[in-house]
Every structure is written in structure tokens, then in C-alpha cells.
Amino acid sequence: AQSVTQLDSQVPVFEEAPVELRCNYSSSVSVYLFWYVQYPNQGLQLLLKYLSGSTLVKGINGFEAEFNKSQTSFHLRKPSVHISDTAEYFCAVSDPHSSSASKIIFGSGTRLSIRP
Amino acid sequence: DAGVIQSPRHEVTEMGQEVTLRCKPISGHDYLFWYRQTMMRGLELLIYFNNNVPIDDSGMPEDRFSAKMPNASFSTLKIQPSEPRDSAVYFCASSPIRITEAFFGQGTRLTVV
């Protein structure tokens, strides 16, 4: 079964500093990978996704992620964060070719806090 | 499209009472997912449907939980009887035929006292 590990439960960063949120997934022949953001008291919103093709994926709000098959990683990055990026970030995975069906499994989340 | 619509947004109930959470997926989506979010366990997949048929309910915690999807535009998650440990935010999400993205509702915050 697919699984996702987010290595950091909390990441404090100063405003305008770069940030990387780490995500590793269990190996599979093929995967779809996702990053979602959850602002306080709201649902999850898609930041970006990797389905195939270029390993560098650009998303909304200046975020990007790189799919690394050899390291089974999909780390999220932003070169300069803003106070408004304070939120919880979830990495997720699905296996589009799984016979047990196409469900999306989420990591435990990383809380990003931006300090002025 | 209005997106995935969940009701109610907040529910407070007493232990032992029946609770029903409702979800309207995005029109045309084939998949519907129910997730539960708690501080301790994070975001857990409870059950999901494909074309109104339950595909995997292995995440349903126990027999007190049941979910139905009588048609393509409506699903319910029922807890009977409810217990304080069921307190959580319950999310519904839907996805088109190829699960290239899940679209989430705003969630229902359930408090069982």
C-alpha cells in the first residue's frame, strides 16, 4: 500500500527566507504526487501536482516541487515566503495503476509558521 | 460550479446521539471520498465511492460508522451512536474519472460532548 512520510511536523521560517518542506513516498512503479495547503478552518486546496513529464512542477503562490524517483521524494520549495503562507501543508500520493483502486493517501502534514 | 458542499459546517451533539453528515460532490465527478482529520491521527481516509458504489471502506473505524451514496449528487456519513472520540473535522472530497486531483469541501467540525 502507498504511504507518505512528511519528515517535519513544524517548520518555522522568517519572512522572505526560502523554505523546503520534505516529503517521501513508498516506492511504486508509478505514482501521482500532490501538495495541498490548508489554511485555518478551511478545507484543503491543491498547490501543485505531478502526474508525468517534467520532474519540476510549478504551482500556485510561487511554490514548486521536484519529483525525484531515485530518492522517492517530492519536496516542496519556495524561494521567499510571505506571512500569508502560514498554513499546514500536506503531501499526498496515489497509484493510478493500482488494482486496489485509486485513492489518495495523505501525509501527516507540516505546519509552516512565518515569523516577521 | 459551487465546489464540494458539506453540511452542516458545525455540529455539536451529545454522546449516544445519531449524527449525519452530508456531502454534495462536484457535478460529473466519479469519485467521492470521506476523510477524518484529528490532531492525533492527521487526515485519514474513511471510505470512498466510485460511481456511487463503495470501493474501499477499510478506513471506517467501527460499525458505528456507515456511509451511503444513493445517487451521484449526494452522500451521507452517519455515526450511530456517537462518542466523544468521534470529535473531529470530517471532509468530503470528489474527483473526476482519473484521480488527478481531489477537490475538498470546507469540512464539518463535529463535537461530541
Side-chain angles (χ1 to χ4, degrees), chain A residues 39-65:
Chain A
Y39 299 104
N41 299 314
Q42 294 190 27
L44 280 72
Q45 175 185 358
L46 183 72
L47 269 181
L48 49 78
K49 60 186 176 185
Y50 170 79
L51 305 180
S52 66
S54 173
T55 58
L56 184 63
V57 181
K58 293 190 183 296
I60 62 172
N61 301 341
F63 283 93
E64 63 181 32

Side-chain angles (χ1 to χ4, degrees), chain A residues 19 25 27 34 36 43 49 52 56 58 66 69-70 79 83 85 93 101 105 110 112:
Chain A
V19 69
Y25 63 94
S27 181
F34 311 84
Y36 282 80
K49 60 186 176 185
S52 66
L56 184 63
K58 293 190 183 296
E66 184 156 19
K69 189 173 183 178
S70 63
I83 290 286
D85 294 322
V93 64
I105 302 300
T110 298
L112 177 63

Side-chain angles (χ1 to χ4, degrees), chain B residues 1-6 23-26 29 92-94 103-106:
Chain B
D1 199 315
V4 175
I5 299 173
Q6 292 186 246
C23 175
K24 182 181 185 321
I26 293 174
H29 280 190
C92 176
S94 69
F103 295 79
F104 280 78
Q106 292 294 295

